[in-house]
Amino acid sequence: MLKHIYTLVTTIALVLTVGATTALAAGGGNIPPQQEWSFKSSSPHWDTEQMFRGYKVATQVCLSCHSFKYIKHRDMMKLGFSEEQVTKLAKELDMGVDDLFISPLSAENAQMAYGTEVPDLSLMNLARPHGADYTAALLTGYNNPPKGFSVPAGKSYNAYFPGNVIAMPPPLTMADQVEYPESGPQASVEQMSRDIAAFIEWTGEPTQIERKNLGVFVLLYLLIFTILSYFLMKRIWLGVKKKK
Ligand code: HEC
């Protein structure tokens, strides 16, 4: 019996390993480097200034091709922006606070220009392994192709895109392409990439901070409950033993 279980476990482990390896090999994209994110830190939170910078990149660069169809300016009030601030931001873009972020690029024009669809970015970090790390790496991954690697006309080489040939022209190509607040970091390509990746994390799961904090609360509750029930058990058994 034990031998059978052993064989079964080994087989499952082997299948999983082979599966994972082939999946990686088929992907053809490099593993994105892990970055530090405020929403993944030991006290998870949205970095409001980073969110603002990410919003700038989103609306000044990405929105010309991509929609973020699940968000509107009003949602940003949950990040700590006032109603006045979001109204002003929306107005600068000729939008209302309750308008969704829809790209002016239509699906047909995208198909004509890029030969593929331009995906909505709202949920992109959730849809890809490595989430924000992947998005940030993708935007900085437009390297020269290795020798002998041919890139079809109109496409670009990208170290992190599966298959390495991407239809998106490099969207962030030079420092200060987006105007950043003077008080913060310089708008280098790396910085802009991190900021927009963080912003997309928020558009994908705006409630994740509450969820994580709730998780800690639930764990604490369970811990206290366990300790209490331990002592309760001891008391009950004490009574039982005495009766004997
Ligand atoms: C000029 C149009 C254009 C702009 C501007 C643009 N993109 Fe794209 N993007 C595309 C196209 C086209 C694709 C589809 C690529 C493909 O499937 O080969 C794409 C795909 C993507 C993907 C999906 C990659 C994947 O794994 O499938 C991400 C993430 C992305 N873009 C992020 C961004 C971000 C962030 C910005 C702004 C900084 C941006 N894009 C700006 C055209 C654009």
Side-chain angles (χ1 to χ4, degrees):
M1 181 65 187
L2 207 63
K3 210 177 139 197
H4 286 299
I5 294 178
Y6 178 74
T7 321
L8 188 70
V9 169
T10 329
T11 316
I12 292 174
L14 200 72
V15 168
L16 285 181
T17 321
V18 171
T21 323
T22 35
L24 276 179
N30 290 332
I31 305 274
Q34 251 186 7
Q35 310 221 20
E36 284 183 16
W37 304 101
S38 68
F39 47 84
K40 282 199 176 150
S41 68
S42 52
S43 56
H45 62 283
W46 299 118
D47 176 342
T48 314
E49 282 167 22
Q50 179 168 54
M51 286 299 135
F52 182 63
R53 299 192 301 267
Y55 161 84
K56 290 253 153 189
V57 179
T59 50
Q60 287 179 25
V61 183
C62 321
L63 190 59
S64 60
C65 294
H66 292 273
S67 295
F68 299 74
K69 67 178 173 195
Y70 295 107
I71 56 159
K72 43 188 187 295
H73 280 85
R74 191 182 293 286
D75 296 333
M76 288 172 63
M77 287 172 66
K78 294 194 200 101
L79 285 170
F81 297 95
S82 69
E83 179 147 22
E84 269 176 339
Q85 282 171 317
V86 296
T87 312
K88 187 165 166 258
L89 288 174
K91 224 180 198 158
E92 281 168 15
L93 297 171
D94 271 331
M95 288 171 77
V97 275
D98 290 314
D99 291 347
L100 298 170
F101 286 41
I102 302 294
S103 170
L105 182 68
S106 69
E108 299 82 64
N109 285 349
Q111 201 51 253
M112 268 200 311
Y114 305 107
T116 179
E117 64 180 74
V118 179
D120 187 276
L121 287 187
S122 322
L123 307 177
M124 191 50 84
N125 284 3
L126 293 173
R128 293 288 176 272
H130 307 286
D133 286 332
Y134 169 71
T135 301
L138 183 79
L139 296 170
T140 50
Y142 288 91
N143 307 331
N144 291 325
K147 256 211 183 102
F149 190 103
S150 73
V151 180
K155 311 257 170 166
S156 303
Y157 179 83
N158 190 295
Y160 295 98
F161 189 67
N164 299 124
V165 174
I166 190 166
M168 167 166 68
L172 300 169
T173 51
M174 52 177 187
D176 298 321
Q177 189 174 334
V178 177
E179 200 185 320
Y180 269 17
E182 265 169 33
S183 54
Q186 209 226 341
S188 62
V189 169
E190 288 76 24
Q191 187 66 44
M192 291 186 288
S193 305
R194 268 198 300 277
D195 294 342
I196 179 64
F199 184 75
I200 293 175
E201 186 77 13
W202 172 73
T203 62
E205 209 191 348
T207 54
Q208 69 166 277
I209 302 292
E210 286 96 319
R211 179 171 55 74
K212 280 177 185 159
N213 290 337
L214 186 70
V216 172
F217 181 75
V218 168
L219 281 181
L220 268 179
Y221 176 83
L222 285 177
L223 186 71
I224 294 171
F225 186 76
T226 312
I227 294 172
L228 277 180
S229 40
Y230 171 75
F231 284 112
L232 196 66
M233 278 275 284
K234 267 186 103 168
R235 274 192 74 139
I236 291 169
W237 282 102
L238 207 68
V240 171
K241 270 183 204 148
K242 267 190 189 148
K243 262 186 209 149
K244 257 200 202 163

